[in-house]
Amino acid sequence: MDALNGLLYGLSVACGASNLLLLLGGCLLGTLVGVLPGLGPVGAISILLPLTFQLPPVGAVIMLAGIYNGAMYGGSTTSILINVPGEAASVVTCLDGYRMAQKGQAGQALGIAVFGSFIAGTLGLVGLQIAAGPLSALALKFGPPEYFAVILLGFTFIVYLAQRSMIKAVLMALTGILLSLIGLDPITAEQRLTFGALHLFEGLNVVPLAIGLFGLAEVFGNLEKTASAKILIVKIRSLFPGRRQWLAAKWAIVRGSVIGFLMGILPGGGPVLSTFIAYGVEKRVSRHPEKFGQGAIEGVAAPEAANNAAASTSFIPLLTLGIPPNVVLAVLFGAFLIHGVTPGPLLMTQHPEIFWGVIASMYLGNVMLLILNLPFIPLWVQVLRIPDRILYPLIILFCLVGAYSINNSVFDIGVMVLFGVIGYFLKKFDYEAAPLILGFVLGPMFEVNLRRSLLMSQGSFGIFAERPIALAAFAVCAVLILLPIAKRIRKR
Amino acid sequence: MKRYRWLIAALAAFVAIGWGEAGPGAGAAYPERPLTLLVGFVPGGSMDLSARALAKAAEKILGQPIMVENKPGGTGTVALAALLSQKHDGYTLCGTPSSVLIRVSQQQPVPFKPFTSFRAVIGFTEPQLGIVVKSDAPWKTLGDLALYAAKNPGRVKYATTGVGSTTHAAVEAIAQRDRLQLIHVPYKGSMEALTALLGGHVEFAALTSELVPAVKAGQARLLSVMSEKRSPKYPSVPTLKEQGYDFANDAVFAVVAPADIDPSVAGRLEEAFAAAAKNKEYLETLDRINMIPVYYNGKAFDAFLRHHWKVINKSLTASGAIREAATKPE
Amino acid sequence: MNRRDRASSIFFLALASIVLVLSVWQGIGALGNPGAWFMPFVTCALMIFFALAGLSAACRKGAGAVGVVEAWRPVRWSKNAAVLAVLAVYVALLPYAGFLIATFLLMSVLFRLNALTVKAALLAACLSSGLAYGLFYLLLKTPLPRGIWGF
């Protein structure tokens, strides 16, 4: 079955009344859990999993995929409005999104995030349909040395993440790596920096960390301001992005989609990595890089596009190889199995109704989510009209529940509060939290792939030079690091 | 600081409430309210899915809903510790793989005694463990593979689900008997290890249940299974024991309760879960998630734990992973 | 000379040095078989390098930079300390009192701290904790901490 016929067949499956209703329900629920920090798609899907036992497999999977996509749309809302990232993939959105909201452009930021998500999600699906086969073959070529090289490439983007001091940004990223090493060693299961605490065995979780460093730290920073130091009440300007902003964000969305699409196939941190890289690339190609971090609309559009495109492509390894590339899709994988369907190379021939039904329903879901999300924007913007003395306690409550619900653990609330304090001090000393999160997310993958590579080569670094993909990634790293240095030397 | 006097009062109230003790008396007919089943792993994994399926079957027999609550952390130990911190009244249970009680407890100090803190309600299922190669690999049997590895010392790489895991121990047993020099590339979980195998980054892999779909799809070939008896799914594939390697799976998924719950409640639970394990829908679900049904009652599971504790202790100390068990078992 | 940068660089230097010594002591393994403490060792070595670079930059920079104290002068940090104390008590109390009660108390204190009248604070706390409970526990089935009374 070729792609077009397949899609038409899929649409005929997805447009059944019951399937449409399930999709709508999934999208609504996904948007809800996406907006609430902490409780992400993993929680929502696992809660719903038992409820879908009674459904036919196609309906169940369509609904669960709807939740996943819905959560991807909603994820940026709290990042933009109150600087609380609901998941690691929306950390980068905080950087410029929250600044835009402070300038009274919350509506534009939310709008561009929704439109960017829609465009990227749709482009991602087109790509998924055309290139699923070759891309999944490429994903398998990635062994430990290739991963190591690509993650190193991700780290070099710190150059562009740093708003002020380079040295400080690198120190933050290293601190992030160090924090990610807490817990049992992923290879030998030895305890590292756990001080015997049971809750630290599996390490710190990124969500409480990010909520603390961004959300709670921001609340602390605002609470202490005396009346005279308070910012003027922002006037909310237009609710939707205007022509000028569209022009500015147009290419950012396209570039973000492409980056997200390519990084999405990498199991593990693909979507998160893609948001950081998309942001870095925008800053690199921008004619006014100094505006980044001050509320540049490209800084919202690119990472939001990237994480939605990555969400689409992350289905490729699952549907074609039977390998779930992230936790959400691992739960979805379980759902497939429960319904007697095994995702993998045989899926397309054995269960075409599921393969094409899911793809077609994701197209429909994207349209549905666009329509669902747009009317919400004016509503969300009202949140900023709530007076500070009521808003701040509510944000704290939001942070608490968000940190708790990721693992149902009171310990995580403690972690979140601790990192709220740390984030507060970091700000006082002019350090930025974004590189720390980057280091924290990539640290474990960086470590295991370096160690696996060295195990495979018995200690020789030659293994990185023998692999073409790895070598190419290293070359790009070198260029990225040397270029700014060369520029500076020439200036002198 | 007068302004903050109300704050101090509020804090005092906080604390007073925290230390207040209250609780309704134990009822006569167990169970008279819903039960909670803790699971120490993230949702969607085989432990979570099989526990949910069993809980669903047991609800019907006990006549009360069973809520599954995921408490991931500490490689499954956080949920067991949480079980002990709840009231020991039989209303909170925990689903756990035996490996948490056997392996993890020897590698890490844990806040419970693996033999005596808990009593098993049921040991209900085990994963399909096996050794696989890519389907286009030249080796048709484990013997072929071992022969090739013997001829190429230090060149054959294999993936497992982690250092000190059951899958790692199995390959160690092979390497030890056949005096092979292999390169171990540990991964986190079966999925990652399978990906490495399919990508051709390792020559063979020792995997858990995730191998079943790959074998079914013709991506991988199963050379040997690690259960005591041949798997009903693959009657033509020999076990490791048949091929002369002294190794058998030590991972059985169980539901446990605190050891000191009321004996009549424990009896009721054992009976109900034993009946639930015969439920047709539950068995179908197990089959779909590629788990093999087994049955151990409380006593049999205790014997299983004690036997495998010794076996694993021997292999862990021999491989140099630990010097002695980090936790005393009783 | 920038005193804030100097202080923070020294902090990172100290942190990295401690962990570095710890990892060498625990064993970093060989290059062909990197041990558990290989990565902490590498990370800390790099941290020390960059902290030293930061330190030298901070000492070279000219006058006019901010000192440590200035960052705190125009603010009411006592309010932050109060919020932090309340949050610490909340975390300690949550497993015993359960989500509903602990959150109600927390929210009333927080609203009161933010200059709402006692009555308004209690009302707002009632609403917010009740809504959060309804949304997360009843609608989304998040197993919130139950406390000793079972809710």
Side-chain angles (χ1 to χ4, degrees), chain B residues 169-227:
Chain B
V171 183
E172 288 275 285
I174 296 171
Q176 209 173 3
R177 201 206 66 171
D178 293 348
R179 304 231 169 84
L180 302 179
Q181 230 185 308
L182 304 168
I183 296 179
H184 179 211
V185 188
Y187 283 84
K188 213 175 177 183
S190 244
M191 264 313 163
E192 281 193 14
L194 176 64
T195 316
L197 177 78
L198 296 184
H201 304 288
V202 293
E203 272 72 27
F204 72 99
L207 304 175
T208 62
S209 287
E210 278 80 358
L211 67 91
V212 178
V215 170
K216 214 188 329 181
Q219 294 164 301
R221 185 184 308 128
L222 184 60
L223 298 185
S224 181
V225 294
M226 301 180 198
S227 36

Side-chain angles (χ1 to χ4, degrees), chain A residues 42 46 49-50 53-54 140-144 146 184 186-191 198-199 201-202 321-324 330-331 333-334 337-340 342 345-346 404 407-408 452 455-456 458 467, chain B residues 43-44 49 52 56 69-78 81 107-111 157 162-163 183-188 191-192 194-195 198-199 201 210 213 216-217 219 285 288-290:
Chain A
V42 184
S46 50
L49 198 52
F53 285 172
Q54 280 81 17
L140 277 183
K141 287 237 169 65
F142 270 72
E146 285 82 9
L184 300 185
I187 289 185
T188 64
E190 273 173 65
Q191 291 190 44
L198 200 61
H199 286 281
F201 278 14
E202 278 177 15
L321 297 171
I323 292 163
V331 179
F333 182 76
L337 290 182
I338 287 269
H339 285 97
T342 308
L346 300 181
Y404 173 82
N407 263 347
N408 305 329
R452 272 180 207 143
L455 277 170
M456 285 170 81
Q458 300 289 291
R467 309 272 198 127
Chain B
L49 292 176
R52 279 176 197 271
K56 204 164 160 252
E69 206 173 287
N70 297 89
K71 273 211 176 297
T75 33
T77 54
V78 165
Q107 289 169 323
Q108 315 297 336
V110 292
K157 298 185 280 290
V163 171
I183 296 179
H184 179 211
V185 188
Y187 283 84
K188 213 175 177 183
M191 264 313 163
E192 281 193 14
L194 176 64
T195 316
L198 296 184
H201 304 288
E210 278 80 358
K216 214 188 329 181
Q219 294 164 301
T285 308
R288 283 174 179 171
I289 60 174
N290 306 311

Side-chain angles (χ1 to χ4, degrees), chain C residues 95-118:
Chain C
Y96 304 102
F99 177 81
L100 205 52
I101 293 174
T103 308
F104 169 72
L105 292 173
L106 170 83
M107 292 312 284
S108 10
V109 176
L110 284 181
F111 279 121
R112 184 73 188 87
L113 263 175
N114 270 286
L116 251 64
T117 60
V118 176

Side-chain angles (χ1 to χ4, degrees), chain A residues 115-191:
Chain A
F115 280 117
S117 298
F118 171 73
I119 295 167
T122 309
L123 286 178
L125 281 171
V126 174
L128 164 69
Q129 215 183 317
I130 301 170
L135 271 181
S136 58
L138 181 69
L140 277 183
K141 287 237 169 65
F142 270 72
E146 285 82 9
Y147 270 110
F148 175 77
V150 170
I151 294 161
L152 195 70
L153 182 62
F155 274 127
T156 57
F157 276 82
I158 288 171
V159 179
Y160 300 108
L161 270 179
Q163 312 284 1
R164 289 179 290 273
S165 162
M166 262 310 282
I167 293 174
K168 285 183 171 180
V170 174
L171 269 175
M172 279 290 94
L174 289 168
T175 311
I177 297 180
L178 198 60
L179 287 170
S180 77
L181 297 177
I182 294 174
L184 300 185
D185 170 20
I187 289 185
T188 64
E190 273 173 65
Q191 291 190 44

Side-chain angles (χ1 to χ4, degrees), chain B residues 54-75:
Chain B
L54 182 66
K56 204 164 160 252
E59 296 184 330
K60 286 180 199 135
I61 294 153
L62 286 167
Q64 286 288 351
I66 301 177
M67 327 274 234
V68 175
E69 206 173 287
N70 297 89
K71 273 211 176 297
T75 33

